[in-house]
Amino acid sequence: MQLLQCIRCADTGGENTLVNAEHAARYLREIDPQSYYLLSTVPVHFHRKQKQFQSVHVGPIIESVNDEIKQIRHSYFTLAPFQLPFWLTLAYYNAYKKYASILYDKQCQYNVLLQRGDFVLYDNYKMLHARSSFTGPRHLRGVYFRYEDVWKKLQRFSK
């Protein structure tokens, strides 16, 4: 889970976009089972390197267990170039493009301009987050939580 809290708004822009990537994947499975199959079975490389942190992950874009979607990875800055066999390349790129077209469809996006003190909390494994361009200083605080910990706490408070 990720919580994003607005500490300071930008002078202009900086609207947040959230997309339910799990819902989009289920829709892809419905309209194009072959594309879904490729994106949920063919492993690709993800790589993130920062000053004091490096992460490499190899796995499909859509990770599922027994047909239940567990996690979606769709990040242009961590997705490494595809290293696919030649015979699979065109079909894979077409599947990736079809899924991306669903994710980028405005009807699938929720856009919100957070004001100072506002926050959003979402499942970072199944939702995608982006923002529009902005000018001036902008400060969002991001905090990550384990899914299980969040629900345990919420259940305790709901009794």
Side-chain angles (χ1 to χ4, degrees):
M1 305 280 296
Q2 182 174 24
L3 181 138
L4 284 178
Q5 180 186 21
C6 180
I7 306 302
R8 179 179 176 162
C9 303
D11 294 338
T12 61
E15 186 176 58
N16 293 281
T17 301
L18 295 165
V19 178
N20 186 334
E22 178 188 23
H23 180 77
R26 280 192 258 119
Y27 179 65
L28 177 68
R29 182 171 57 199
E30 199 176 293
I31 64 167
D32 190 343
Q34 181 62 28
S35 289
Y36 177 86
Y37 177 79
L38 289 173
L39 296 179
S40 63
T41 60
V42 175
V44 293
H45 289 76
F46 296 87
H47 181 242
R48 183 163 187 181
K49 185 175 183 179
Q50 296 174 321
K51 219 176 209 181
Q52 296 181 3
F53 171 81
Q54 182 167 322
S55 171
V56 174
H57 176 81
V58 178
I61 286 175
I62 302 168
E63 290 190 15
S64 61
V65 175
N66 298 330
D67 225 21
E68 181 186 343
I69 296 170
K70 295 293 185 183
Q71 185 168 0
I72 309 281
R73 286 186 172 81
H74 192 274
S75 171
Y76 70 89
F77 64 89
T78 61
L79 184 59
F82 296 139
Q83 300 171 0
L84 304 169
F86 180 77
W87 59 268
L88 183 59
T89 302
L90 183 59
Y92 193 85
Y93 270 95
N94 285 336
Y96 182 81
K97 182 180 174 183
K98 182 169 262 187
Y99 184 49
S101 71
I102 297 167
L103 295 171
Y104 285 96
D105 185 324
K106 294 288 184 198
Q107 293 180 16
C108 296
Q109 299 177 355
Y110 173 72
N111 297 296
V112 61
L113 182 60
L114 297 176
Q115 301 298 319
R116 183 182 175 150
D118 291 348
F119 67 90
V120 293
L121 176 67
Y122 59 92
D123 184 339
N124 201 41
Y125 283 176
K126 297 180 180 183
M127 300 286 290
L128 301 178
H129 173 260
R131 60 136 178 94
S132 63
S133 62
F134 63 91
T135 61
R138 176 181 185 261
H139 182 191
L140 289 186
R141 176 183 310 162
V143 180
Y144 291 94
F145 300 92
R146 286 187 344 176
Y147 186 81
E148 297 80 18
D149 294 342
V150 170
W151 290 115
K152 281 180 188 175
K153 291 237 187 241
L154 288 174
Q155 285 175 344
R156 235 180 25 209
F157 287 115
S158 67
K159 292 180 181 180

